[in-house]
Amino acid sequence: MALTSSFTSFNLPVTNVEQSKVFFTGLGFALNPQFPDNENSVAIVIGDNLQVMLINQAFFNTLTEKESVDTSKYAQMTIAMAFESREKVNEIVNTAVSLGGRLHAEPEDHGPMYHWGFVDLDGHLWAINYMNMDAAQG
């Protein structure tokens, strides 16, 4: 059997936990009440058994000996998520921009796959996708 995780959490450094919380709940994501919600961190549920911990930059720096990435210059990763329709992709990206995020490139239509993205308040890249699996397989 392949190795799988029963729960996954991505930890992202942010400048202001409260502003980031407003941004992500404004997109429609829920807080995970099982994790701390304070000036140092907040947990945002982004899928089944999947969350993003938004951690104050100063506190994040205590968790690693490595220097965190300057997101104005470098991309460390892209968080890719799939949703149920092209319309939902457009809604999420447009809402992100209305909440202070920035567009990441133009929408891409590859037939059965539709992709668009945004950059959050702290420069993290989010790829928002729709995949028509029936069309992709047929």
Side-chain angles (χ1 to χ4, degrees):
M1 183 166 122
L3 180 66
T4 60
S5 171
S6 60
F7 180 81
T8 303
S9 181
F10 297 99
N11 299 320
L12 294 178
V14 299
T15 304
N16 184 304
V17 171
E18 187 61 31
Q19 286 178 346
S20 294
K21 180 170 85 171
V22 169
F23 179 83
F24 285 100
T25 57
L27 284 173
F29 293 110
L31 302 181
N32 187 341
Q34 297 173 313
F35 288 83
D37 176 3
N38 55 45
E39 69 279 353
N40 286 324
S41 66
V42 64
I44 306 293
V45 177
I46 62 171
D48 294 337
N49 301 312
L50 182 61
Q51 73 177 16
V52 173
M53 281 294 288
L54 305 171
I55 301 174
N56 174 282
Q57 180 72 55
F59 184 69
F60 184 87
N61 291 343
T62 69
L63 305 176
T64 179
E65 295 176 5
K66 293 184 176 185
E67 186 176 333
S68 58
V69 172
D70 178 350
T71 57
S72 69
K73 297 179 184 177
Y74 306 104
Q76 183 173 19
M77 70 176 186
T78 300
I79 301 163
M81 303 174 69
F83 292 90
E84 67 272 7
S85 68
R86 295 166 187 263
E87 294 77 21
K88 190 64 173 179
V89 169
N90 292 341
E91 175 189 328
I92 292 167
V93 173
N94 287 323
T95 301
V97 171
S98 76
L99 292 168
R102 298 184 326 270
L103 290 179
H104 180 264
E106 293 297 317
E108 298 176 18
D109 191 341
H110 301 285
M113 181 181 168
Y114 180 69
H115 166 82
W116 203 7
F118 66 88
V119 179
D120 70 20
L121 302 178
D122 291 281
H124 305 293
L125 304 173
W126 295 77
I128 310 301
N129 303 287
Y130 163 70
M131 176 67 84
N132 181 336
M133 296 305 287
D134 293 335
Q137 293 173 2

